Amino acid sequence: MNSDSQFGRNEERSDTSPILIIPYMWIGDFVRNHTVVRVLKERWPNRPVDLLTTSLCAPLVDYMPGVRAGIVWDLPRSRLALRRQFGLAKLLRERNYGTALVLPRTWKAAIAPTLAGIPERVGWVGEFRFGLINRWRWGERKLPRFIDENAALAQPDGAPLPPEWPVPQLRVPAEEIARWREANGLSSGAAVALAPGSVGVSKRWTSYPEAARLLVERGLEVWVVGGPAEKGLAQEIVATGGPGTAGGPGVRDLTGNDLRNGVLAMAAAGVAISNDSGLMHIAAALGTPTMGIFGPTSPYLWAPLNGLAATVVQNKSVLSCQPCQSTVCKMNDHRCMRDIAAEEVVGIAQRVLREAGAGVTSGNIERGDS
């Protein structure tokens, strides 16, 4: 390293001005944003890092190492809401941020940091944000994955992508998990958490009720995890698998309004089975052995950086329409998900549980056609 580079590196490490990240607010994207936090903390270990967050995602911040605070501020998705933007700008101005990383390419995402007078506003070129973003980055479309686009903004301009990004981390104290189990009347044994929801019906595996029935028949406790939109799915799964008795095998509906409940359920579970959804990213970042079920989306692009205990895909030849990335199936009658058998998924889950109990970290990719 030459002397100029060393000087620049030392100057970065001595900086103590706070950094604000304006992230994407979908749950899975918000979890993956912790990679951006980790890259920033490696580059600037003495600069506090805060996250703008919605009320929905706010509980995640409590479990993210390296994050000083979450700035909870709900902005509507469908309109500019200038009064809300001015209110947010006032709050940001009081915190004296030196840098804002604006991950979304939208004009709206850059308004409050600009109104707050944050001196350095870093973001990709997009939506004619001239005057709002003052540290332009170019070449976003050449980057292969969504995580590459986000984490690259935390690097010096023009820096090459690393071979691997630091993985997202969520850490939940063991005593908090124990209190949560007790409050919900759950046993201390290993349970299988099912996350049947997702944004877009095409990503939803439809055999969760049958899988729950098979898991209960094999003596396992099953938890259905999700938000209020998954309440109907949870009731169907409970009806098929059976509610069981206290402490015994059966299905419990743990869906609800508070994402913290979902975080704790995934932290307490012995294995999580999930569609390509935010809960899949939460479980993986917690270190819970996680099985991701993929059909219309690409595991390469959208699976957690943490890796999965198993990636379950169609158990026959790949369809010509895969991956379509569509939220609604428009051809082949959703075969990419329908052809994944419940018996196969349950068998993999039992194997993952055995390996976890034996202290084995599998870290492999289990394809349905292998």
Side-chain angles (χ1 to χ4, degrees):
M1 181 182 293
N2 61 42
S3 58
D4 288 342
S5 298
Q6 184 66 56
F7 175 79
R9 185 64 170 166
N10 290 339
E11 188 176 40
E12 284 189 349
R13 289 189 170 272
S14 64
D15 195 344
T16 60
S17 62
I19 302 172
L20 175 69
I21 302 175
I22 312 288
Y24 289 87
M25 297 298 182
W26 297 106
I27 292 171
D29 297 339
F30 197 90
V31 172
R32 287 191 290 186
N33 177 67
H34 192 247
T35 288
V36 181
V37 174
R38 296 189 66 187
V39 174
L40 286 174
K41 293 303 290 184
E42 182 178 338
R43 180 180 176 189
W44 284 302
N46 298 313
R47 298 184 70 180
V49 176
D50 293 350
L51 289 173
L52 185 67
T53 178
T54 59
S55 299
L56 173 64
C57 292
L60 292 168
V61 176
D62 293 341
Y63 306 113
M64 286 184 168
V67 177
R68 180 181 68 171
I71 310 302
V72 183
W73 199 267
D74 293 309
L75 292 169
R77 292 182 183 274
S78 58
R79 55 193 175 87
L80 213 52
L82 280 177
R83 182 175 295 180
R84 295 286 296 163
Q85 293 279 8
F86 274 104
L88 175 58
K90 181 178 183 296
L91 180 62
L92 300 182
R93 192 178 303 112
E94 293 169 354
R95 291 175 172 263
N96 296 314
Y97 292 109
T99 300
L101 259 64
V102 185
L103 304 190
R105 298 175 71 250
T106 62
W107 195 78
K108 184 170 71 173
I111 293 175
T114 304
L115 293 174
I118 298 175
E120 183 180 47
R121 303 181 297 278
V122 182
W124 295 107
V125 173
E127 288 199 1
F128 303 101
R129 298 188 293 179
F130 302 104
L132 300 181
I133 299 296
N134 61 8
R135 294 292 185 273
W136 290 104
R137 296 292 182 87
W138 302 81
E140 177 191 20
R141 299 303 188 191
K142 296 179 181 179
L143 299 177
R145 298 172 301 170
F146 184 71
I147 186 60
D148 299 320
E149 296 169 6
N150 289 337
L153 290 177
Q155 292 189 301
D157 193 7
L161 298 184
E164 293 182 353
W165 295 111
V167 300
Q169 295 176 337
L170 296 174
R171 294 178 182 165
V172 180
E175 57 271 19
E176 188 173 350
I177 297 172
R179 288 195 301 269
W180 175 85
R181 280 183 179 270
E182 183 178 1
N184 286 278
L186 300 168
S187 72
S188 59
V192 180
L194 306 181
S198 70
V199 176
V201 295
S202 68
K203 295 194 290 183
R204 296 176 188 167
W205 184 51
T206 55
S207 295
Y208 280 102
E210 175 66 9
R213 183 185 65 79
L214 293 172
L215 289 164
V216 171
E217 286 179 356
R218 298 175 193 193
L220 290 164
E221 189 174 352
V222 177
W223 303 336
V224 186
V225 185
E230 282 71 65
K231 182 62 68 176
L233 287 170
Q235 291 172 348
E236 180 185 353
I237 294 169
V238 171
T240 303
T245 57
V251 184
R252 288 287 302 273
D253 175 8
L254 298 179
T255 59
N257 293 304
D258 188 356
L259 183 59
R260 189 180 307 276
N261 185 68
V263 173
L264 291 167
M266 288 305 189
V271 63
I273 304 174
S274 177
N275 301 324
D276 177 7
S277 70
L279 283 170
M280 175 185 67
H281 288 274
I282 287 173
L286 287 163
T288 297
T290 306
M291 297 169 53
I293 300 181
F294 288 83
T297 54
S298 162
Y300 168 71
L301 295 175
W302 301 111
L305 287 181
N306 309 73
L308 293 168
T311 302
V312 184
V313 296
Q314 185 191 12
N315 60 3
K316 297 179 182 178
S317 59
V318 174
L319 301 174
S320 60
C321 56
Q322 285 181 273
C324 68
Q325 312 292 346
S326 177
T327 56
V328 178
C329 180
K330 298 177 181 177
M331 60 190 303
N332 287 317
D333 196 25
H334 209 205
R335 275 187 53 204
C336 66
M337 296 298 258
R338 282 193 302 105
D339 287 355
I340 297 173
E343 183 75 37
E344 176 195 2
V345 171
V346 169
I348 297 171
Q350 288 186 294
R351 188 205 71 199
V352 170
L353 276 171
R354 286 195 300 269
E355 291 178 348
V360 176
T361 303
S362 59
N364 66 307
I365 299 297
E366 176 80 26
R367 291 184 59 94
D369 57 358
S370 62

